[in-house]
Amino acid sequence: MSVFKSLALPMLLMVASSMSHAATPADFLYGTSTDGASLPFRYFVPPGYDSTQAYPVILFLHGSGERGNNNTAQLNNNANGALQLIGDEQLALQPIFMIAPQCPTDGWWGGATLTTAIGLVDQIAQSYHIDPDRVYITGLSMGGIGTWSAVTAQPARFAAAIPMSGNGDSSPAPSVATLPFWFFHADNDGTVGVAGSDALVAALRDAGASTIYTRYDLGGHGIWPVAYRHPLLFPWMVSQRRGSPSTITPPILRITQPTTAGAFSTDQSIIDLSGIADNDGNTIDSVAWNAVGGGSGNATGATSWSVASVALAEGSNLIRVTATSPSESTNYAGHTTFNDTLRVTRTGTPPQPGSVVVAINAGGAAYAAADGTSFAADTAFDGGSTQVSTHTVNGTADGTLYNSWRFGDFAYHIAVLDGAYTVELQFADTYNSGVGQRIFDVAIEGATVLNDFDIIASVGVDTATVRRFDVNVSDGMLDLVFANGSAGSARIDAIRVIRASGDSIFGNGFEVE
């Protein structure tokens, strides 16, 4: 029995007397959103509700087959298995609310509809005592896609997410890497291919996330009644709190040596790791490690594991340790994987002040600039797309740099030694023709440095501009995040990272025409 389960036993005894049956659609009340959209929804109030207690809530997003306006279809087939999250055993462990909106016919869990659906949590909280730090979201098929869209749109809202049989744009993964996820999908899903969940899980783990993924061999698209029945799912979900993921609730793998923190610095060229893997007493088939962009291998041991002599590159190294266990479904087979990551910075000789540490031609090939800077071909990016043009660019001798670019929602994660740097972001708009057609945001090391930035409003069409920002890097990785704003797509043409000197500091937003 897990620690969480044992701690929950007094609560189980306290509420058991009020429980007489598993929840069914008939136990759900009817509602309509009050934000003007009139979105129909059903909601479940746990038996024995006590207004002096704060309750967690599950926001459930149905699939495409349940769209409409009858405010009943979203709970068909017991919400395709999701009502198992509010069965007798689950409610005895933790009384919980559930909200189930119905997407309009031919609608989608996106845009204004998704915003309204998320807002239903606030609407219910006006009448009931809801814990804002324990808001969970799950959905299947179209709702699995909507679950990813919801957490990437409002990453600070949720405590945990459970997407099933979904997909999505992986580029926002770094922005939600600290959120607990448990994905479910089947390899033989002929409706929404498993590659979508594979990609999202990979992007999250490459961004340093600790993510759980149950990947069945069989079951096709409709795996949901089996997935929602996973014996560890509900205890894992309700143990999560916004901004403070559980470090004890299985399935979980933890790196404990050389540190329990997420980052570590050393001047050594190799490192030893050890830790624990907890699957609540169930089988763990293997534990393996890999350094992103480097080596890989198997750990020694399972519930208590160790890895010796992992080679480190100079600068930042992201090392991932992953446990593999059976899926807990005899009929569907497959595996569940769960991981932890450690970012290790191998320190070395700091670069000289004023030296160009990194130069990247975003969206383009390697390029030698007029000032002698050697720009590498586009690298270290996560997400986005590329495009080229052949315009004459004013204000620069390097028009080639500004005729290839990366655009959309994307990020760059650049390995550097810890310390102070000046980041140069080079922009031109050779695609749009007027003010207000491209407005976007840029964040460096988690801080917004450009808000509602409009290149053309700043310098005009087909004109180069350079924005410089001073940053301090303390984890061996320089993170640049470009996010679409109110119009068009974010864009970057080139990036230079310069080791800062003590007497040469630019103010944020300093611009060179």
Side-chain angles (χ1 to χ4, degrees), residues 17 19 25 48 51 57 79-81 100 105 119 122 137-138 146 163 210 219-220 251 339 344 347 362 372 469:
S17 62
M19 298 302 300
S51 62
V57 61
N80 282 310
T105 303
D122 298 325
I137 184 169
T138 185
S210 299
N339 72 286
V344 181
T347 58
F469 305 95

Side-chain angles (χ1 to χ4, degrees), residues 63 98-99 116 132 161 172 187 198 207 253 261 272 277 373 408 427 464 471 481:
M98 178 180 276
I99 302 172
T116 293
D187 180 67
D198 289 351
L253 182 140
D272 296 336
T373 300
F427 303 99
V471 300
V481 177

Side-chain angles (χ1 to χ4, degrees), residues 69-333:
N69 58 11
N70 59 12
N71 210 4
T72 60
Q74 70 267 43
L75 298 179
N76 283 355
N77 304 309
N78 288 322
N80 282 310
L83 295 198
Q84 293 174 101
L85 294 176
I86 49 174
D88 285 342
E89 181 181 350
Q90 288 72 28
L91 292 173
L93 180 64
Q94 172 61 70
I96 192 167
F97 281 72
M98 178 180 276
I99 302 172
Q102 185 177 31
C103 187
T105 303
D106 299 327
W108 198 256
W109 292 125
T113 299
L114 183 59
T115 299
T116 293
I118 297 171
L120 294 176
V121 174
D122 298 325
Q123 183 174 326
I124 289 295
Q126 293 175 6
S127 302
Y128 299 93
H129 194 177
I130 300 298
D131 187 345
D133 292 325
R134 300 180 73 190
V135 178
Y136 312 117
I137 184 169
T138 185
L140 50 91
S141 190
M142 183 184 83
I145 298 169
T147 297
W148 177 257
S149 297
V151 297
T152 55
Q154 298 188 31
R157 162 75 75 158
F158 301 100
I162 306 165
M164 295 193 180
S165 309
N167 59 32
D169 176 10
S170 64
S171 60
S175 68
V176 294
T178 59
L179 184 71
F181 282 93
W182 191 332
F183 288 81
F184 289 83
H185 216 132
D187 180 67
N188 68 338
D189 188 332
T191 304
V192 179
V194 73
S197 289
D198 289 351
L200 294 181
V201 171
L204 284 165
R205 288 175 171 170
D206 285 347
S210 299
T211 300
I212 306 172
Y213 185 18
T214 296
R215 194 180 191 277
Y216 298 116
D217 292 339
L218 304 171
H221 189 51
I223 57 171
W224 319 307
V226 169
Y228 281 120
R229 194 161 58 241
H230 193 291
L232 299 184
L233 177 59
F234 185 82
W236 172 86
M237 180 185 71
V238 296
S239 72
Q240 310 303 330
R241 284 166 172 77
R242 182 173 56 174
S244 183
S246 172
T247 59
I248 62 172
T249 309
I252 192 167
L253 182 140
R254 295 185 63 204
I255 298 170
T256 57
Q257 295 292 333
T259 179
T260 57
F264 181 74
S265 294
T266 179
D267 60 0
Q268 302 298 304
S269 60
I270 60 173
I271 191 173
D272 296 336
L273 305 173
S274 62
I276 60 96
D278 181 3
N279 197 28
D280 203 39
N282 299 311
T283 300
I284 296 175
D285 293 330
S286 64
V287 176
W289 68 272
N290 73 293
V292 177
S296 61
N298 292 321
T300 300
T303 55
S304 179
W305 56 265
S306 61
V307 177
S309 302
V310 176
L312 300 175
E314 192 169 278
S316 181
N317 300 259
L318 185 65
I319 302 172
R320 180 167 55 238
V321 182
T322 305
T324 300
S325 65
S327 72
E328 302 301 325
S329 172
T330 302
N331 292 335
Y332 291 171

Side-chain angles (χ1 to χ4, degrees), residues 472-497:
N472 256 305
V473 177
S474 59
D475 62 356
M477 188 69 72
L478 173 63
D479 296 310
L480 315 174
V481 177
F482 298 78
N484 295 337
S486 58
S489 300
R491 168 174 174 156
I492 184 65
D493 294 81
I495 301 167
R496 286 206 320 171
V497 182

